[in-house]
């Protein structure tokens, strides 16, 4: 097992390393949340169009996905402490550089460097949960971790664009360096995880270790589900300040989206541990599609008022947060304990690929048609993957039932 026997009897918040993980995540995601809506607006201020603004977060996520594939290697060669410390510095310090330029090329370069740091933070954070807490409480632990990830986004994503436009963009850029403040917590967490890694994860001998190709195949479905829900999520986070109803409605919509995501990611952990995640996945994807349809309707010229946009974004937030937890539980259940970093990397690649696609694809669709068409495109993706998950979810449920201690 990945924890000492006494750890199993402790409340999750008292398990050694968990609090350091939570503080690292809070500071890291604070910097991420502040610049997610603000950096595209800064590009618009510098003369970019909707497609160029969409590129800002698309490049961030492209760099994230590219570097995520190398994080397991870095953990083996450099260790957790060094890798995590590098990650939070790369995510935080480049924010200062945005004060030097509002030109698209410079903003994209900053996004690429920050993406490398974000890759390390996300892969290490998700993998750390599985290393610190035993499998029977993994859904609840992921829920607690999800609160630390979502809380900064709850408060900062809706307010970041308002602060930038009403006070000064430079205030956001200074605050965006917050991940660098996480170095002491990242180092403490890294020491704990290095000790766990040095102790090793014993082989239970229950079955032969599957090949890498078979593990990647097992991780394909949760990754597709995650991509389906994070694509519209990335679009809403990037473009809500540019929607037709104005900045105040965007703040309310983003507040509903992030609050619903935070609460649902936390609350779904218990049911995931008890029943397994597979039975919830397709209904939540359908719910996401319905929320997106409401958003798209509200953005048409003859559509309803801004309250429908805020309601639709909140509905999407419920699916967005819940499916993050459920797919991560599924990913960890699909591989042996020794391959947790692989499961984390693949899961995060699905998450960030979706976020980048939402920013890029919806941005270019909106530039040629409208945001309504872009959001409806992502709703159709949710419906397609819901059908795929419904057909392929049975085997995923059996894997989870075998490995997660369903009661």
């Amino acid at each position: 097992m990945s924890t000492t026997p006494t750890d199993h009897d402790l409340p999750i918040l008292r398990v050694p390393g968990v609090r350091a993980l939570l503080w690292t995540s809070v500071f890291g995601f604070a910097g991420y949340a502040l610049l997610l809506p603000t950096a595209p607006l800064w590009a618009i201020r510098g003369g970019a169009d909707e497609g160029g603004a969409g590129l800002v977060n698309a490049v961030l996520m492209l760099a994230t996905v590219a570097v995520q594939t190398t994080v397991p290697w870095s953990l083996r060669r450099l260790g957790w402490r060094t890798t995590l410390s590098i990650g939070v510095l790369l995510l935080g310090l480049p924010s200062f550089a945005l004060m030097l330029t509002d030109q698209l090329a410079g903003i994209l370069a900053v996004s690429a460097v920050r993406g490398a740091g974000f890759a390390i933070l996300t892969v290490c954070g998700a993998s750390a949960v599985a290393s610190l807490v035993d499998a029977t409480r993994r859904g609840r632990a992921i829920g607690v971790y999800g609160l630390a990830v979502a809380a900064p986004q709850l408060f900062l994503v809706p307010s970041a664009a308002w602060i930038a436009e009403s006070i000064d963009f430079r205030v956001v850029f200074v605050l965006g360096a917050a991940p660098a403040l996480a170095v002491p917590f990242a180092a403490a967490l890294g020491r704990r995880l290095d000790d766990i890694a040095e102790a090793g994860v014993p082989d239970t001998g229950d079955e032969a270790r599957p090949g890498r190709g078979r593990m990647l195949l097992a991780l394909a479905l949760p990754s597709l589900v995650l991509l389906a829900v994070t694509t519209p999520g990335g679009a809403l986070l990037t473009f809500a300040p540019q929607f037709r109803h104005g900045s105040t409605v965007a703040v309310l919509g983003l507040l509903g989206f992030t609050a619903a995501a935070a609460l649902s990611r936390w609350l779904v952990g218990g049911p995931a541990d008890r029943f397994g995640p597979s039975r919830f996945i397709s209904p939540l994807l359908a719910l996401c599609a319905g929320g997106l349809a409401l958003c798209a309707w509200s953005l048409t010229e003859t559509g309803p008022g801004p309250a429908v946009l805020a309601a639709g974004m909140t509905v999407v937030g419920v699916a967005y947060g819940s499916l993050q937890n459920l797919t991560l539980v599924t990913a960890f259940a699909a591989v042996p304990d020794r391959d947790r970093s692989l499961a984390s990397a693949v899961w995060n690649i699905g998450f960030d690929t979706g976020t980048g696609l939402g920013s890029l694809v919806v941005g270019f669709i909106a530039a040629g048609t409208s945001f309504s068409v872009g959001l409806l495109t992502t709703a159709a993706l949710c419906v397609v993957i819901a059908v795929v998950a419904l057909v392929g979810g049975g085997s995923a449920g059996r894997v989870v039932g075998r490995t997660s201690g369903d009661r």
Side-chain angles (χ1 to χ4, degrees), residues 3-11 14-16 132 134 137 192:
T3 56
T4 63
T6 55
D7 291 344
H8 299 176
D9 302 321
L10 293 173
R14 293 183 60 191
V15 173
L132 295 171
D134 55 287
R137 299 189 293 168
R192 171 64 178 162

Side-chain angles (χ1 to χ4, degrees), residues 95-108:
S95 181
F96 291 120
L98 290 174
M99 291 188 286
L100 304 178
T101 180
D102 63 358
Q103 296 304 295
L104 184 59
I107 297 171
L108 295 179

Side-chain angles (χ1 to χ4, degrees), residues 54 57-58 227 230-236 238-239 352-364 374-375 378:
N57 286 339
L227 184 145
T230 54
T231 296
L236 293 176
T238 298
F239 295 113
D352 297 319
T353 299
T355 304
L357 281 175
S359 176
L360 182 64
V361 174
V362 173
F364 279 106
L375 293 179
T378 65

Side-chain angles (χ1 to χ4, degrees), residues 23 47 56 111 260 278 363 402 406:
W23 281 114
V56 174
S111 293
S278 61
R402 175 175 54 80
D406 288 9

Side-chain angles (χ1 to χ4, degrees), residues 186-281:
L189 172 62
R191 281 194 297 269
R192 171 64 178 162
L193 292 168
D194 281 329
D195 290 343
I196 292 173
E198 187 175 338
V201 180
D203 193 344
T204 62
D206 291 336
E207 57 183 286
R209 183 185 183 188
R212 188 179 184 88
R214 183 179 171 189
M215 287 189 289
L216 291 174
L217 184 62
L219 294 169
L221 180 58
S223 299
L224 279 174
V225 170
L226 192 62
L227 184 145
V229 76
T230 54
T231 296
L236 293 176
L237 290 168
T238 298
F239 295 113
Q242 302 173 44
F243 289 164
R244 63 186 291 263
H245 294 301
S247 59
T248 300
V249 176
V251 168
L252 292 175
L254 287 170
L255 182 62
F257 176 84
T258 52
L263 289 173
S264 61
R265 184 171 181 175
W266 172 45
L267 293 174
V268 81
D273 284 339
R274 184 174 182 182
F275 301 110
S278 61
R279 69 186 64 191
F280 304 109
I281 287 175

Side-chain angles (χ1 to χ4, degrees), residues 19-32:
R19 291 184 180 179
L21 168 63
L22 299 183
W23 281 114
T24 301
S25 301
V26 166
F27 280 108
F29 277 86
Y32 168 78

